[in-house]
């Protein structure tokens, strides 16, 4: 029985381990915080191109509101080969792994640290790799929070455009245009200058270029929305999934497209208003509250306080349980302005919290199966 709801809130210093984990596709720099427990998932993060775990997730994990989560969940930040701060240039003989190979390399990280399951938190390229991990090894992934995921491969015209961009733009300029939208680049000069500095001063440019090339050469994420009466073996994400994108992000259309391909009973799309390309940096408090709701929907953190997130619009989606090998049921309706506690369920080994925007009976599932929850906040 998991007793995370009764963990003492006193201040403590969790153990931090920093290691280069050997995988079949090269070494992944990992920063592990906390102690892995056999009956508890680990939050596994993976950054975007041009970033490392500090520049990608530092604002989120250092935020005071995040402490309520990380007190109860060990977390592991994974960095792609050669992307950590101060990394040496990768050997000339080294072949940079494809995105599929990077995803598969994550299984070695889980094995190395003794993780039985994870909640994935990824941005851009990291979101793609974690989604691929969940597709290929669903038993390892309990849930996914995917920021700025693009499930599509680069077509021929895009490949040509990328080549031209490489010739006419510096690497930092190329990364900036992938991370941030036009409006943000033109108006938020301090933020752009900060991240340009991160890219130029803390990252190995040669290594970043290889990671960028790998990401731009990715295959399409092979996911298919299950249809009632259709292919029961449709390849899709089987775990609860929260897709997040800022409304000024350059990948809004790609994220919406990904949401349209997922199982609507297990996925939620969160569009963050007045938000740019990095929601976890731009609006960390709101992002953290969304993560809290998501984790509550999985049966954890039933006591967590919620104050900031308020929904404005939604498309309907049915409430359903996630039937799997684990003993607890998973609810996948998220992001209402308040928490519904179920007294009878509180008596079980883990309390279950239904955090939904609209309560729609399960009998209406067949009517709403073509839609998935969409939240704008």
């Amino acid at each position: 029985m998991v007793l995370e709801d009764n963990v003492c809130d006193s201040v403590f210093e969790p153990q931090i381990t920093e290691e280069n984990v050997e995988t079949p596709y090269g070494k992944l720099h990992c920063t592990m915080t906390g102690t892995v427990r056999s009956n508890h998932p680990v939050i596994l993060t993976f950054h975007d191109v041009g970033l490392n775990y500090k520049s990608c997730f530092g604002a989120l994990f250092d935020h005071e509101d995040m402490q309520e989560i990380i007190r109860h969940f060990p977390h592991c930040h994974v960095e792609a080969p050669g992307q950590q701060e101060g990394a040496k240039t990768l050997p000339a003989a080294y072949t940079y792994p494809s995105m599929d190979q990077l995803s598969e390399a994550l299984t070695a990280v889980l094995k190395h640290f003794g993780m039985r399951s994870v909640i994935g938190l990824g941005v851009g390229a990291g979101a793609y790799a974690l989604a691929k991990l969940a597709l290929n090894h669903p038993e390892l992934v309990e849930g996914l929070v995917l920021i700025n995921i693009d499930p599509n491969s680069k077509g021929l015209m895009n490949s040509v455009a990328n080549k031209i961009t490489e010739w006419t733009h510096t690497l930092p300029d190329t990364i900036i245009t992938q991370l941030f939208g036009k409006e943000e680049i033109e108006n938020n000069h301090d933020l752009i200058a900060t991240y340009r500095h991160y890219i130029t001063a803390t990252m190995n440019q040669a290594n970043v270029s290889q990671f960028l090339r790998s990401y731009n050469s990715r295959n399409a994420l092979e996911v298919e929305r299950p249809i009632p009466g259709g292919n029961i073996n449709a390849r899709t994400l089987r775990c609860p999934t929260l897709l997040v994108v800022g409304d000024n992000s350059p990948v809004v259309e790609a994220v919406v497209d990904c949401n349209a391909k997922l199982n609507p009973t297990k996925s939620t799309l969160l569009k963050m208003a007045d938000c740019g390309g990095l929601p976890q940096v731009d609006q960390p408090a709101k992002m953290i509250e969304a993560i809290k709701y998501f984790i509550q929907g999985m049966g954890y953190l039933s006591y967590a306080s919620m104050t900031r997130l308020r929904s404005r619009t939604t498309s309907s989606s049915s409430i359903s349980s996630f039937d799997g090998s684990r003993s607890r049921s998973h609810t996948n309706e998220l992001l209402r302005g308040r928490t519904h506690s179920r007294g009878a369920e509180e008596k079980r080994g883990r309390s279950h919290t239904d955090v939904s925007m609209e309560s729609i009976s399960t009998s209406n599932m067949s009517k709403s199966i073509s839609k998935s929850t969409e939240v704008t906040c």
Side-chain angles (χ1 to χ4, degrees), residues 142-274:
E142 291 197 31
L144 288 170
V145 179
L146 306 176
I147 303 171
N148 296 341
I149 186 169
D150 186 344
N152 305 308
S153 62
K154 295 290 185 182
L156 178 60
M157 293 304 295
N158 281 329
S159 296
V160 173
N162 287 334
K163 286 294 183 183
I164 295 174
T165 300
E166 289 179 9
W167 296 334
T168 58
H169 293 74
T170 65
L171 180 64
D173 286 337
T174 301
I175 298 296
I176 290 295
T177 57
Q178 288 203 9
L179 294 177
F180 303 100
K182 182 178 180 181
E183 179 180 337
E184 203 167 15
I185 294 174
E186 292 177 351
N187 298 322
N188 199 336
H189 300 295
D190 290 343
L191 178 68
I192 300 305
T194 297
Y195 274 82
R196 190 182 299 278
H197 173 75
Y198 282 148
I199 297 166
T200 56
T202 70
M203 306 293 291
N204 184 301
Q205 303 293 289
N207 297 349
V208 172
S209 180
Q210 292 195 59
F211 188 20
L212 175 63
R213 193 170 297 114
S214 176
Y215 181 54
N216 286 340
S217 302
R218 67 188 180 277
N219 298 315
L221 196 64
E222 297 175 353
V223 288
E224 177 185 354
R225 169 162 286 194
I227 301 174
N231 180 13
I232 61 174
N233 296 317
R235 183 173 169 82
T236 187
L237 294 174
R238 303 188 181 281
C239 62
T241 303
L242 173 63
L243 305 182
V244 183
V245 67
D247 60 357
N248 292 320
S249 170
V251 293
V252 171
E253 291 184 6
V255 175
V256 172
D257 180 51
C258 184
N259 183 63
K261 295 177 180 178
L262 299 182
N263 186 337
T265 68
K266 292 185 171 67
S267 65
T268 298
L269 170 61
L270 173 62
K271 289 183 181 178
M272 296 180 66
D274 304 318

Side-chain angles (χ1 to χ4, degrees), residues 307-336:
T307 58
R308 290 183 172 84
L309 195 61
R310 295 294 180 267
S311 60
R312 280 201 321 218
T313 62
T314 179
S315 59
S316 61
S317 179
S318 301
I319 296 175
S320 65
S321 295
F322 176 63
D323 297 321
S325 59
R326 307 177 186 92
S327 60
R328 63 184 173 277
S329 62
H330 298 257
T331 56
N332 189 48
E333 298 304 313
L334 307 174
L335 307 173
R336 195 172 190 168

